[in-house]
Amino acid sequence: MAPVTRKNVLRDQKSLNDYVRGVGLLKQRPSGRYTSEFNIPGPMEPISLYDIFVLWHILTGDSAIPPGGDPMRRNQAHRGPTFLPWHRRMLNLFEANLRFVLNDSAFALPYWDWTADGDSGSPFDAPVWRPGCMGGQGDPVSSGPFAFHANDPNTFSVHIETDAAGNPSQPDRPRGLVRDFGRSEPDGWPTLPTSGDMKAALTYRPSGPHPKPEDGYDTLTYDVDSDGFRSRVEGWLPASRPWMHNQVHMWVGGDMVPMSSPNDPVFYLHHCNVDRIWEARIERYDGRVYAPDMTAPADPYLGIRIDDQLGPPAAAGDTPRRMLGWVSSEHYVYDTLP
Amino acid sequence: MASATGPEKTEAVAATESLGSELAESVRPRGETPPAPAPSVSTARHEGHEIMVTTTYEVVVDGRPVTARLHVDDSGMVSSPGLPYHRFASALDAVRVLVSTYPGDFRGGT
Ligand SMILES: [Cu+2]
């Protein structure tokens, strides 16, 4: 199959229109699962195909590696080296579902280049937030394709969220999407990452006396405190403040703040840009490197090594190595790399 | 190129549906009590010594204990599972933001 091209959402009206329409279709399509199967308090409600991804993200964020360990130190999808390959895989599966509901095998996810907004002062009325794109902020969001219309049964609405402890829950009744841009510290963060911030992450070089090539990606102890391109693009380092990926979640605010952040369709545009920055690092600097490799001991690193399984769905057989090679002439390319 | 109704697409939905059932199976059985807030453990070697620091936060809001956990990392910063992209210099700030992000979980303030 010819590769599809993932494009900037501001420069390709067709992928924007298709994305919006596809999200609506995935919200309407049942997954066959119910809230009661996940011990979510409240009435037993059907879960849409779209919301299965929300739940997947919540449950994965609570799955520590190693099992029984601390998910705040390292979980299957965050705070460790699988952050990039796990989300690449999530995007691939979400994109494949959009292709199905759109009945268009050429559909490719668009991305939001938030550094362009960061460079121009993080305006609340940037092009991506116009009614013709993602709509703006609000509680609930009241402009654009994901605005809440209480009397419309097909309105975009949030069905799965988390409680303060991070457990999946549901609102008393389906509610509108919430965005709360640029809150100040500690609630949020007042600016988006700039192209200078991105360049700093892209050009990061490990300092030690004899760094191995893969040290640029991640290093011992491969967790929230370890240094490398991964932790810098995820946004943990330098530790003084949030950066990059984390900073974007904090700037958008509202539903982008908890582990249920895939509730906001902008989540996928954001992560598509994170994936694009990873691909730029690979193409321009590192090559297809990842750490740790299989010489790292299974205890405690089983689940993050290059040939380990990336958590459910197990049948897919996806590993970090497989995700590393995914962007190629066979799958997808980006229109431009930073 | 797969056709419009080709197997590639039904595979995507089938994979998502089986993902749903796999996730449902992995969920803790109903009635099993959730684990108590776990301590944070930081370890280091220093001048031939093995250091281990264990931290547990006890948080009470309006007289009620808070089940949301606070985690402290090796740099001393605090985070909480309900705010997975945040990190705080102060535990009080972490609780402030938890309260304002999850007002429904903290009813009964004045
Ligand atoms: Cu994530």
Side-chain angles (χ1 to χ4, degrees):
Chain A
M1 185 174 155
V4 297
T5 303
R6 291 184 178 172
K7 297 174 186 152
N8 186 320
V9 71
L10 301 179
R11 288 196 220 106
D12 190 63
Q13 192 67 40
K14 181 170 167 19
S15 51
L16 167 61
N17 294 348
D18 289 348
Y19 181 67
V20 166
R21 192 162 60 89
V23 162
L25 292 168
L26 286 178
K27 274 282 192 184
Q28 304 304 326
R29 201 179 169 92
S31 68
R33 305 260 71 88
Y34 290 82
T35 50
S36 52
E37 296 174 83
F38 298 90
N39 296 344
I40 296 174
M44 173 172 145
E45 297 287 349
I47 301 173
S48 70
L49 223 39
Y50 185 96
D51 288 343
I52 283 292
F53 285 84
V54 178
L55 205 44
W56 186 22
H57 194 255
I58 297 171
L59 297 172
T60 302
D62 192 38
S63 299
I65 291 180
D70 190 342
M72 296 307 281
R73 178 167 287 281
R74 187 195 305 111
N75 62 61
Q76 287 182 359
H78 308 93
R79 299 167 183 256
T82 54
F83 170 69
L84 292 164
W86 190 91
H87 285 85
R88 175 166 284 182
R89 175 180 188 239
M90 184 197 200
L91 295 188
N92 291 345
L93 189 56
F94 190 70
E95 184 177 58
N97 275 270
L98 287 169
R99 286 188 191 133
F100 170 75
V101 291
L102 291 166
N103 202 11
D104 177 5
S105 58
F107 171 79
L109 275 177
Y111 63 86
W112 166 35
D113 176 13
W114 25 259
T115 64
D117 296 2
D119 285 347
S120 57
S122 312
F124 294 0
D125 60 351
V128 71
W129 307 118
R130 290 189 185 143
C133 198
M134 292 291 108
Q137 63 170 336
D139 180 7
V141 166
S142 59
S143 66
F146 310 115
F148 187 63
H149 305 288
N151 297 321
D152 174 1
N154 291 324
T155 192
F156 186 90
S157 54
V158 170
H159 297 244
I160 304 285
E161 53 187 17
T162 76
D163 63 17
N167 302 309
S169 60
Q170 52 183 335
D172 294 337
R173 63 188 62 79
R175 59 169 177 84
L177 186 66
V178 180
R179 293 184 186 133
D180 195 358
F181 295 162
R183 300 277 308 269
S184 53
E185 220 186 340
D187 297 274
W189 197 258
T191 58
L192 286 163
T194 63
S195 54
D197 298 333
M198 176 173 64
K199 185 122 201 279
L202 276 174
T203 57
Y204 162 75
R205 284 274 163 252
S207 47
H210 303 290
K212 297 183 294 247
E214 61 271 28
D215 287 351
Y217 182 81
D218 211 335
T219 46
L220 277 170
T221 46
Y222 308 110
D223 58 24
V224 69
D225 291 305
S226 63
D227 203 354
F229 169 73
R230 187 277 308 169
S231 63
R232 285 162 187 265
V233 76
E234 188 173 0
W236 301 116
L237 289 177
S240 52
R241 47 155 280 192
W243 302 95
M244 301 292 284
H245 155 269
N246 288 342
Q247 186 183 345
V248 173
H249 279 277
M250 290 174 67
W251 185 88
V252 177
D255 278 305
M256 281 285 271
V257 165
M259 212 37 123
S260 51
S261 48
N263 269 322
D264 191 332
V266 89
F267 171 94
Y268 294 95
L269 274 50
H270 166 36
H271 268 277
C272 195
N273 196 47
V274 172
D275 189 73
R276 173 175 163 261
I277 295 168
W278 183 26
E279 195 55 23
R281 171 83 182 184
I282 288 170
E283 297 257 327
R284 300 208 202 286
Y285 299 95
D286 265 359
R288 299 203 178 269
V289 300
Y290 177 89
D293 64 19
M294 298 308 283
T295 62
D299 181 15
Y301 297 122
L302 177 67
I304 62 165
R305 301 173 304 173
I306 191 164
D307 292 318
D308 287 341
Q309 194 72 235
L310 275 172
D318 287 328
T319 61
R321 189 192 299 280
R322 185 152 184 235
M323 290 303 106
L324 204 55
W326 199 265
V327 185
S328 73
S329 56
E330 283 176 60
H331 296 98
Y332 63 87
V333 292
Y334 287 100
D335 57 353
T336 62
L337 289 179
Chain B
M1 178 83 70
S3 75
T5 53
E8 180 213 359
K9 295 163 185 180
T10 39
E11 265 170 35
V13 173
T16 309
E17 285 169 353
S18 66
L19 168 65
S21 49
E22 213 175 301
L23 291 174
E25 278 162 32
S26 68
V27 166
R28 205 185 303 126
R30 189 177 283 279
E32 203 175 292
T33 46
S40 312
V41 183
S42 289
T43 55
R45 278 196 71 82
H46 179 69
E47 294 176 1
H49 300 278
E50 205 67 64
I51 305 174
M52 184 163 106
V53 177
T54 303
T55 317
T56 318
Y57 286 92
E58 218 179 280
V59 183
V60 174
V61 174
D62 301 326
R64 276 188 286 270
V66 172
T67 55
R69 188 186 158 219
L70 298 186
H71 167 89
V72 59
D73 62 30
D74 293 353
S75 63
M77 300 279 280
V78 176
S79 50
S80 190
L83 302 164
Y85 313 109
H86 279 69
R87 201 153 52 159
F88 301 92
S90 133
L92 276 177
D93 274 350
V95 179
R96 281 188 185 105
V97 178
L98 278 173
V99 169
S100 46
T101 306
Y102 298 97
D105 290 20
F106 299 93
R107 291 192 176 123
T110 46

